[in-house]
Amino acid sequence: RIHELNFNPVWRLPPTVVNKDLIPKGRSMHRKGQSVLVKYGIDAYDGSGKKVNPQKIYWTSSRPFSLSYRQQPGEDNPLGFVKINFHNAHSVYLHDTPSDSIFGRNFRAASSGCIRVQNVEQLVTWILNGQDGWERYMVDAIKESGKRKDVRVKKPDKLYFTYITAWATKDGVIQFRRDLYRKDRVS
C-alpha cells in the first residue's frame, strides 16, 4: 500500500549506486582535480553522521566506501520532485525524474531498481484525492516551491505491478522487450 509521499525529497544514495557509479566517477574526477560531490551537490557523512568536507575525501582510498551520501532536493536530484513510498521488503519506491526524455525510449532500463513515473503529478493528485483538500493546483504549487514536505496517505491504496515483456499495439504489431528480471522463464 502507498503510505507516504515525500515532496522535494532528499536522495539517500543506495549502496549499488555508491559502489558502481559514485565512487568510480569520484575517482575519475579526482584525477582531473574535480569533485563529484561538489559538481552534483551531494553531501558525504561519516559513521557518526558528521558531514565530511568533499575536498578531504581521497577517492583512491577505501574511505569513500565507509561514507553515506545524500543529495538535497533540486534539479539534479534523480528523484525529481516527489517520492512515493509503499511497503515492501526491497526498499523500492516510485518517483519522479528530471530526465523526462527516458519515457520516449524503447529501452528504459536505466534505473537502480526503483520505478520512475511519467506524469507523476496526475498520480499524486489521484493518491491524495479527498485528503485534506489536496487538489492538483496544490501539487503544482509544492513542485514550484521546491520546499520539502512529507505527507502521510490517510487512505492507503493497494499498489499492483504487472511485468510485461511482450504486447500487441493497436495496429497489430507485436512488441518484444528484453526480460531483465528473468520472469518469463522461456528456455
Side-chain angles (χ1 to χ4, degrees):
R1 294 184 180 271
I2 296 171
H3 65 90
E4 181 185 51
L5 304 174
N6 307 125
F7 290 102
N8 301 301
V10 172
W11 183 41
R12 289 166 177 73
L13 282 70
T16 53
V17 171
V18 170
N19 296 332
K20 293 181 180 180
D21 300 320
L22 183 73
I23 292 174
K25 187 146 188 109
R27 289 178 172 169
S28 172
M29 290 180 71
H30 183 76
R31 285 191 291 273
K32 298 174 190 171
Q34 301 170 334
S35 170
V36 67
L37 301 182
V38 171
K39 180 174 180 174
Y40 294 102
I42 298 171
D43 298 319
Y45 298 87
D46 65 18
S48 67
K50 183 180 175 190
K51 193 171 176 181
V52 177
N53 181 337
Q55 305 304 331
K56 302 218 179 208
I57 298 173
Y58 300 100
W59 291 93
T60 54
S61 73
S62 62
R63 185 169 188 223
F65 291 98
S66 69
L67 301 173
S68 62
Y69 302 90
R70 291 183 221 144
Q71 187 176 34
Q72 295 303 311
E75 62 185 46
D76 290 328
N77 185 312
L79 302 182
F81 105 96
V82 67
K83 176 182 169 205
I84 303 168
N85 298 306
F86 57 94
H87 299 292
N88 67 93
H90 307 288
S91 299
V92 173
Y93 46 84
L94 304 170
H95 66 90
D96 181 27
T97 180
S99 306
D100 288 351
S101 63
I102 66 158
F103 295 118
R105 296 182 193 164
N106 276 332
F107 184 74
R108 295 179 13 192
S111 178
S112 295
C114 293
I115 303 152
R116 292 182 179 110
V117 177
Q118 188 173 12
N119 301 319
V120 73
E121 297 86 356
Q122 289 175 311
L123 178 60
V124 168
T125 302
W126 180 81
I127 292 168
L128 294 175
N129 184 31
Q131 178 169 315
D132 295 334
W134 276 91
E135 293 184 35
R136 174 63 187 258
Y137 78 90
M138 296 171 75
V139 172
D140 293 338
I142 199 162
K143 180 178 184 177
E144 188 66 32
S145 76
K147 293 195 173 142
R148 287 264 314 111
K149 183 172 183 74
D150 297 327
V151 176
R152 281 247 175 248
V153 177
K154 291 185 179 173
K155 293 181 182 176
D157 289 300
K158 287 184 179 179
L159 181 63
Y160 297 94
F161 289 100
T162 302
Y163 179 70
I164 300 172
T165 57
W167 66 92
T169 59
K170 289 179 183 177
D171 59 0
V173 176
I174 307 276
Q175 300 285 324
F176 293 97
R177 296 298 182 270
R178 204 165 27 151
D179 180 16
L180 297 172
Y181 299 105
R182 298 184 179 142
K183 299 287 185 185
D184 289 344
R185 304 210 190 276
V186 176
S187 18

